[in-house]
Amino acid sequence: MATGGGAPCFFDNLEVINRTGKSIFLDVPASEIVRRMSLGPIRKKDRCSAAGGKDGLKDSIEFLRSNRLSYYRQAAITLSGSEISIEEMADALKK
């Protein structure tokens, strides 16, 4: 199950996720998240957090990420890097 970025931070969600499956934190820089958002079907201009433009969006993502990092770091698996491929992710998860 893929959750929204805030889901692990509320109630006992992270505990439930870790108890019932494997949690995975895809640790990529805010600039990469902004780039990916601009490529997807939901463009960054369509998101509430994008109201301040590209710089505002990056600032918003960095702020949220810094506030949520203590939760994200409790994931069973962390994959880092903006250049990690789908194949590399699959290999890491198999291990």
Side-chain angles (χ1 to χ4, degrees):
M1 166 189 356
T3 68
C9 307
F10 298 102
F11 308 106
D12 62 346
N13 291 350
L14 188 59
E15 181 183 325
V16 171
I17 291 167
N18 282 328
R19 189 175 60 240
T20 59
K22 290 282 186 192
S23 55
I24 303 165
F25 171 33
L26 300 177
D27 186 10
V28 298
S31 58
E32 178 63 13
I33 295 170
V34 171
R35 187 189 74 77
R36 291 177 185 182
M37 287 174 67
S38 70
L39 301 174
I42 299 175
R43 305 279 183 225
K44 64 181 178 224
K45 66 179 173 52
D46 299 324
R47 295 182 61 106
C48 296
S49 58
K54 187 174 181 179
D55 289 336
L57 177 60
K58 185 175 181 239
D59 290 345
S60 176
I61 290 169
E62 286 176 345
F63 175 79
L64 289 171
R65 186 179 183 284
S66 68
N67 286 310
R68 297 173 175 176
L69 203 53
S70 65
Y71 295 97
Y72 295 165
R73 287 191 174 144
Q74 295 176 49
I77 299 167
T78 297
L79 300 174
S80 298
S82 58
E83 300 298 321
I84 192 167
S85 70
I86 293 171
E87 293 79 16
E88 290 169 322
M89 281 188 225
D91 288 342
L93 296 175
K94 286 177 189 176
K95 294 176 184 176

